[in-house]
Amino acid sequence: MSLTFDFVQPEPAATDRITLFADVILPLPLPKLYTYRVPYEMNDDVVIGGRVIVQFGAKKTLSCIVAAVHETPPALYQAKYVLEFIDDAPVVTQPQLKLFRWMAEYYMCTLGEVINAALPSALKLSSESRIQLHPAFVRDEPAYPLSEPEEKIVVALSTEDGKAMTFTDVGELLGNTNFHKVIKSLIQKDVIFLFEHLADKYSPKVVKKVRLAHHFVEENVLEGLFQQLAGRPKQLDVLMRYLQKVPVYQNVHANHQGTEKASLTSSPHLSPSAVNTLIKNGVLEQFDVIVSRFPLDDSPEAKMPFTLSEAQLTAQADILKQFTEKDIVLLHGVTGAGKTEIYIELIRKALEGGGQVLYLLPEIALTAQIVTRLMRVFGTRLGVYHSKFSDNERVEVWNGVLSGRFQVVVGVRSAVFLPFDNVSLIIVDEEHESSYKQYDPSPRYNAREVALMMANFQGAKTLLGSATPSVETYYQTRAGRWGLVSLTKRFGEAGLPEIELVDTRKSRDAKKMLNHFTPELMSEMERKLAMQEQVILFQNRRGYSPFINCLDCGWIPKCKNCAVSLSYHKHAHELRCHYCGFHDRMPVECPACGSRNLKTVGFGTEKIEDDLKVMLPQANVQRMDLDTTRAKNSYQQIISDFENQVTNVLVGTQMVTKGLDFANVSLVGIINADSIIHYPDFRAHERAFQMFVQVSGRAGRKGKKGKVIIQTADPAQVIFDKVIRNDYLEFYEYEITQRREYGFPPFMRVIRMTVKHVDQLVAEQAAILLTQELVERLGREAVLGPEAPYIFRIRNFYLQEITIKLDREHTVLKHAKGQIAAAINVVKDQKEFRQARLVADVDPM
DNA sequence: AGCACGCCGACT
DNA sequence: GTCGGCGTGCTC
């Protein structure tokens, strides 16, 4: 408990009673905390970071987090009472609260929004929460005695099969007496479980187990049983196996735990029917046990040792040495240099020191392979936090961190929200990845920056890893503030791939293009496939074609909600908008002129796949993009098919650039490099360089030299030269000069304001006013715009953008954010702009 | 974010 | 004459 009160004086007189107030964080986008009064008799129950239930407004009952407790009554209003206290220990720890406050301030959002993003929804009880009888609960023999109100609920829930009750129902049933306590108690006793109204149907993971019926446990009775079963060899086998698994002779109590039913039926000479007969005859009894979704498998073979190479050892020593002087170190290692092994060693060392470890990875790099590898080393101490996880699994990880069960967590962006309180090492792998930045729902945070702040608050060291570090990060190492360790050799004998530029314009002029393939790429593919080697093709656009065009009247289908053309998806036979999800059937004829001459223009992954199936009929081609990986296990399926060489060619979007380490890939093709380079953004070159180098890294592993072919209409562009020589430093020098000259990060901070309104004119006017207000407060030179972005309408909202550039200095930044907030308020106070949405994105990517 | 209060159109 | 549209203001 984080709060202590001075109750030393014995029996305080009633008039001396302390009145406490709790400032709570509501899970809503409200700018401030709300103060509720704690009932006297509950003074001991307030926990900072614990959940409480309050009435908010006339109707709503919300669960929220206590952020502070004090004795100052609000001057301007009468505080309502806290209705109930749910937790007797914090679910949100003090270090988390501190970090969340920082996030809210830095990313210009409310604490409520941060809390909302942070808490797994199963921790957010709302009036929509419902309860249901636990499937493993047997009414006639409860494991714990039930109180009267508890019994009442059980009866009500038992009347119908699988009946659910809302909190309101429970309240009515019990006459509104502190029913949350009752519910919580029932949950603890595994009598009921809680689920969110619309959330997927929770089913606790249940394992069928069997044990010896209790009257057989005694040794002499057991002997008698053997006699009885003498003529039934199958059943005897099962029994012997059971006694082998559960040493009832040595330890009578072991029988209570029993063993998994599956363990008695799995091996071939044991028959499941014999097990069932034993159960039927009352020799064995079957029972259900709820198990963790993260099994406790601490088998001894788990601790698989491995040895680091000379280069890895040197790098590791260097990192540790730099950590003695610096809190942040960048491990700049070429793809395939073996960074993961170094991470594992460092994690092991950090754990020996008693601290927690957070290992962040981008979504697409967090694969089953890496988790298995980490599991082998860290066993049950490892927690995994992934976006494909169900809410129940998330809560298990959250609680596991709180209880200390998980000391290492490998996870994606949102893992920075977990309740760490003693982190000693944070690893941010692929630190340059833009997927660490959350864009759409607020908080628009960058997990790398949040991780750095968490490390700062908790005195941890941070290791950033990348083959292509972000310019901002590398700048910090150059300035000497952060450490730098480089790994320039690939693990094993694998050399870096040979990169060849192929001029698409030349081929096109010579009429030699085969669909979107140059003859060079085509013949190289054929050659590699003939050698039974695999190919990865990268095309940064999904769908079949980005738009279609009527050859007779020029009609191009556009999205009705967004200012974009609709992409053609051949397989689904649809036209789709990639911004709002609108879709429509592909028309047979032009709706404008009736012509049937509809032509696809441009190409995406689907067309590449389609063409290849015709051009390389002997090859097995698979596509990996958002459309083919939507289903739950499809991503893993595609990867394992490719790994097992079921597929020969993998065509994909950015997904193919990360984390796929396959020894047999000897060719990588980038179909259209130009679309990546020409992007209206100051980070376009950085992103392009990173993408090319990362995807190139997929070619050639384990001693095989790979080849990369980049198709471009303009091979003379400066960036290619640096990609071909894999010269990060040269790229950095070139890029940093540009950044300095044009005043971009790391020299300046960028805050991007977006103004949205359904009416284009109003959006423009609001943006103009906002710009004026910003200029007034921050100066003309700090404010750029307003300007309509390239895609100026999304989901029926017209957009206007304003870019604010600020000095990096902390105090300036803090002051500026106050000024921006003030400017936003001026616009918002204008009643014609009430409907406008003004969004600030700090450090946009 | 919701939800209530409040002032102007198409309906029994 | 009313039911209901969603604009705007508040929630401790």
Side-chain angles (χ1 to χ4, degrees):
Chain A
M1 179 140 148
S2 40
L3 188 73
T4 51
F5 289 107
D6 199 12
F7 282 119
V8 198
Q9 67 271 47
E11 299 284 316
T15 48
D16 294 344
R17 287 202 296 196
I18 301 168
T19 304
L20 294 179
F21 294 91
D23 294 342
V24 302
I25 308 165
L26 294 159
L28 300 171
L30 295 167
K32 43 183 211 121
L33 301 181
Y34 283 72
T35 305
Y36 285 83
R37 185 170 165 179
V38 178
Y40 296 123
E41 60 276 19
M42 296 297 186
N43 276 6
D44 287 338
D45 297 331
V46 217
V47 182
I48 292 184
R51 288 166 301 168
V52 294
I53 293 175
V54 297
Q55 181 93 32
F56 185 65
K59 271 196 126 174
K60 268 180 297 184
T61 310
L62 296 168
S63 76
C64 48
I65 301 287
V66 176
V69 178
H70 55 86
E71 294 177 35
T72 323
L76 301 170
Y77 52 86
Q78 184 71 41
K80 283 186 184 170
Y81 280 100
V82 174
L83 298 179
E84 281 187 49
F85 298 84
I86 302 169
D87 306 299
D88 38 32
V91 263
V92 177
T93 64
Q94 295 278 15
Q96 276 179 295
L97 282 175
K98 188 176 177 190
L99 188 66
F100 294 172
R101 281 204 187 90
W102 174 82
M103 283 180 77
E105 186 189 296
Y106 188 85
Y107 291 108
M108 302 183 72
C109 66
T110 68
L111 252 185
E113 286 171 313
V114 179
I115 285 282
N116 228 355
L119 291 190
S121 58
L123 285 178
K124 298 180 226 164
L125 326 170
S126 74
S127 38
E128 285 302 314
S129 296
R130 287 163 189 236
I131 57 168
Q132 202 165 53
L133 223 49
H134 207 296
F137 174 71
V138 188
R139 234 195 108 190
D140 300 323
E141 32 182 294
Y144 305 90
L146 299 179
S147 71
E148 199 190 314
E150 287 172 358
E151 189 63 45
K152 242 180 172 173
I153 295 178
V154 171
V155 170
L157 286 172
S158 308
T159 49
E160 277 173 57
D161 235 331
K163 192 188 159 177
M165 285 172 90
T166 66
F167 277 27
T168 327
D169 297 337
V170 179
E172 278 168 23
L173 182 73
L174 300 182
N176 277 313
T177 49
N178 240 9
F179 62 85
H180 287 100
K181 277 258 161 63
V182 182
I183 288 172
K184 208 191 160 194
S185 160
L186 283 172
I187 291 169
Q188 274 177 357
K189 292 175 181 174
D190 274 333
V191 175
I192 59 167
F193 66 89
L194 186 76
F195 64 99
E196 287 293 312
H197 179 41
L198 277 175
D200 47 7
K201 289 160 195 66
Y202 174 87
S203 62
K205 200 172 169 187
V206 174
V207 167
K208 287 200 190 312
K209 292 184 100 177
V210 291
R211 64 187 164 214
L212 221 48
H214 33 273
H215 49 273
F216 285 113
V217 171
E218 272 172 54
E219 202 170 324
N220 46 350
V221 185
L222 201 51
E223 294 297 338
L225 179 62
F226 276 116
Q227 309 276 305
Q228 274 178 40
L229 293 178
R232 298 177 177 89
K234 291 283 183 195
Q235 295 185 34
L236 265 180
D237 275 353
V238 171
L239 199 59
M240 291 305 286
R241 179 61 181 260
Y242 179 80
L243 292 172
Q244 207 180 345
K245 288 252 161 200
V246 186
V248 179
Y249 284 121
Q250 285 93 339
N251 178 9
V252 181
H253 302 290
N255 185 59
H256 186 73
Q257 299 290 316
T259 186
E260 282 182 33
K261 191 182 179 186
S263 73
L264 297 183
T265 55
S266 54
S267 83
H269 66 276
L270 294 174
S271 96
S273 69
V275 178
N276 287 331
T277 310
L278 285 167
I279 293 168
K280 206 175 72 196
N281 295 339
V283 176
L284 292 176
E285 56 184 19
Q286 185 172 325
F287 61 108
D288 290 344
V289 163
I290 292 148
V291 294
S292 162
R293 287 186 158 76
F294 307 101
L296 293 149
D297 168 29
D298 236 350
S299 44
E301 85 263 36
K303 308 278 177 285
M304 198 187 74
F306 56 85
T307 43
L308 296 186
S309 73
E310 197 71 33
Q312 288 171 320
L313 279 172
T314 313
Q316 186 204 324
D318 199 3
I319 292 165
L320 288 171
K321 185 171 146 265
Q322 298 208 31
F323 271 153
T324 59
E325 292 158 26
K326 287 166 179 155
D327 291 330
I328 302 159
V329 172
L330 167 68
L331 175 59
H332 178 203
V334 294
T335 50
K339 291 193 287 287
T340 315
E341 288 81 6
I342 299 176
Y343 297 154
I344 291 174
E345 277 309 302
L346 291 168
I347 294 170
R348 211 202 286 269
K349 283 197 162 60
L351 290 179
E352 278 165 19
Q356 298 161 315
V357 177
L358 171 60
Y359 179 3
L360 291 177
L361 276 164
E363 190 78 48
I364 40 180
L366 183 50
T367 58
Q369 282 119 306
I370 195 133
V371 171
T372 315
R373 203 145 145 215
L374 292 168
M375 277 284 183
R376 251 184 242 146
V377 183
F378 301 109
T380 55
R381 288 183 296 174
L382 178 77
V384 183
Y385 210 62
H386 198 277
S387 71
K388 288 250 162 98
F389 272 7
S390 72
D391 206 59
N392 302 304
E393 289 168 316
R394 279 166 206 241
V395 176
E396 281 186 36
V397 178
W398 184 286
N399 289 335
V401 174
L402 266 181
S403 71
R405 176 181 165 194
F406 296 131
Q407 287 155 299
V408 197
V409 172
V410 57
V412 297
R413 179 171 76 204
S414 56
V416 295
F417 292 122
L418 289 168
F420 296 101
D421 57 2
N422 181 29
V423 179
S424 65
L425 175 68
I426 301 182
I427 294 166
V428 185
D429 198 15
E430 311 287 355
E431 65 79 32
H432 63 278
E433 264 289 308
S434 59
S435 61
Y436 280 126
K437 181 75 161 69
Q438 168 147 314
Y439 175 64
D440 200 16
S442 186
R444 299 175 173 76
Y445 66 102
N446 185 327
R448 178 189 63 195
E449 302 305 310
V450 177
L452 288 173
M453 198 43 74
M454 188 201 291
N456 176 25
F457 285 160
Q458 299 188 29
K461 303 290 177 186
T462 308
L463 181 64
L464 305 174
S466 178
T468 51
S470 65
V471 171
E472 284 100 318
T473 294
Y474 206 77
Y475 176 76
Q476 296 297 337
T477 70
R478 277 306 187 83
R481 282 185 283 270
W482 298 356
L484 172 65
V485 174
S486 296
L487 260 178
T488 47
K489 274 226 190 73
R490 286 188 132 185
F491 190 75
E493 274 96 77
L496 284 166
E498 176 198 341
I499 299 174
E500 187 188 334
L501 289 176
V502 180
D503 192 333
T504 50
R505 201 179 311 168
K506 253 188 212 157
S507 299
R508 213 174 294 277
D509 290 349
K511 303 249 183 291
K512 286 215 175 111
M513 286 296 274
L514 306 145
N515 290 321
H516 298 284
F517 300 96
T518 55
E520 288 89 340
L521 178 55
M522 208 58 218
S523 63
E524 194 64 27
M525 268 199 284
E526 280 163 352
R527 216 166 66 85
K528 297 296 188 190
L529 290 173
M531 288 160 71
Q532 302 295 312
E533 292 173 357
Q534 288 169 292
V535 178
I536 289 179
L537 292 178
F538 174 53
Q539 166 61 10
N540 203 23
R541 169 171 265 146
R542 65 193 172 93
Y544 190 88
S545 71
F547 60 98
I548 59 168
N549 190 353
C550 171
L551 289 182
D552 290 319
C553 74
W555 174 78
I556 293 171
K558 302 255 171 57
C559 177
K560 61 185 173 107
N561 307 316
C562 314
V564 291
S565 58
L566 293 170
S567 293
Y568 172 44
H569 287 244
K570 191 180 183 185
H571 184 72
H573 210 69
E574 270 181 352
L575 293 174
R576 281 190 204 158
C577 172
H578 288 180
Y579 288 84
C580 74
F582 170 82
H583 56 96
D584 202 358
R585 283 198 71 79
M586 168 74 176
V588 181
E589 49 189 46
C590 171
C593 73
S595 158
R596 291 190 162 230
N597 278 324
L598 296 176
K599 193 184 124 214
T600 63
V601 184
F603 58 98
T605 44
E606 204 185 351
K607 179 154 172 37
I608 301 289
E609 180 198 12
D610 239 48
D611 291 346
L612 279 182
K613 281 184 172 159
V614 177
M615 294 158 81
L616 300 168
Q618 76 284 9
N620 193 346
V621 182
Q622 173 65 268
R623 169 163 59 99
M624 183 164 83
D625 56 26
L626 238 148
D627 300 307
T628 61
T629 56
R630 226 176 295 261
K632 223 173 188 172
N633 295 315
S634 46
Y635 178 79
Q636 216 47 57
Q637 188 58 50
I638 293 170
I639 299 259
S640 73
D641 279 354
F642 196 61
E643 188 167 32
N644 301 327
Q645 302 186 36
V646 175
T647 34
N648 314 106
V649 182
L650 187 65
V651 182
T653 52
Q654 343 220 348
M655 271 181 209
V656 299
T657 64
K658 306 278 142 47
L660 312 177
D661 293 344
F662 303 121
N664 198 41
V665 175
S666 61
L667 174 67
V668 165
I670 297 170
I671 313 278
N672 181 7
D674 307 308
S675 66
I676 302 160
I677 300 171
H678 303 294
Y679 207 83
D681 179 293
F682 74 90
R683 262 189 256 269
H685 277 105
E686 178 177 3
R687 232 188 333 253
F689 179 83
Q690 285 163 349
M691 235 177 237
F692 296 153
V693 172
Q694 296 279 350
V695 76
S696 301
R698 303 303 127 215
R701 291 258 167 159
K702 304 240 166 83
K704 258 182 226 165
K705 196 172 169 77
K707 177 152 186 162
V708 179
I709 290 182
I710 301 178
Q711 298 194 147
T712 171
D714 184 10
Q717 294 175 94
V718 276
I719 188 164
F720 287 133
D721 178 49
K722 301 159 192 9
V723 172
I724 287 172
R725 286 184 286 112
N726 198 356
D727 196 334
Y728 176 81
L729 254 171
E730 200 180 290
F731 157 76
Y732 170 79
E733 295 296 352
Y734 158 80
E735 185 67 21
I736 201 79
T737 316
Q738 305 271 309
R739 300 281 182 95
R740 188 181 281 115
E741 190 172 331
Y742 297 103
F744 279 114
F747 301 102
M748 301 291 262
R749 288 268 177 181
V750 173
I751 296 176
R752 172 125 63 237
M753 295 295 313
T754 306
V755 179
K756 309 181 192 181
H757 198 278
V758 282
D759 186 311
Q760 187 166 22
L761 192 65
V762 180
E764 282 168 14
Q765 286 168 339
I768 289 167
L769 176 62
L770 181 60
T771 307
Q772 280 169 8
E773 294 296 326
L774 288 168
V775 167
E776 218 166 90
R777 283 152 227 266
L778 303 168
R780 178 69 266 185
E781 66 290 344
V783 185
L784 276 84
E787 194 179 23
Y790 176 64
I791 297 162
F792 59 89
R793 188 169 66 118
I794 294 178
R795 292 172 190 270
N796 278 324
F797 277 89
Y798 285 90
L799 309 183
Q800 288 284 316
E801 283 181 355
I802 301 161
T803 304
I804 304 164
K805 285 185 186 176
L806 299 165
D807 199 276
R808 284 190 59 88
E809 208 190 309
H810 179 70
T811 47
V812 174
L813 200 64
K814 208 170 166 175
H815 172 255
K817 282 175 187 163
Q819 295 300 315
I820 293 168
I824 290 172
N825 284 333
V826 169
V827 180
K828 281 250 129 194
D829 283 349
Q830 224 76 18
K831 90 166 183 274
E832 61 267 41
F833 300 140
R834 281 299 310 243
Q835 304 290 68
R837 287 158 182 262
L838 307 182
V839 176
D841 188 4
V842 180
D843 305 334
M845 284 197 85

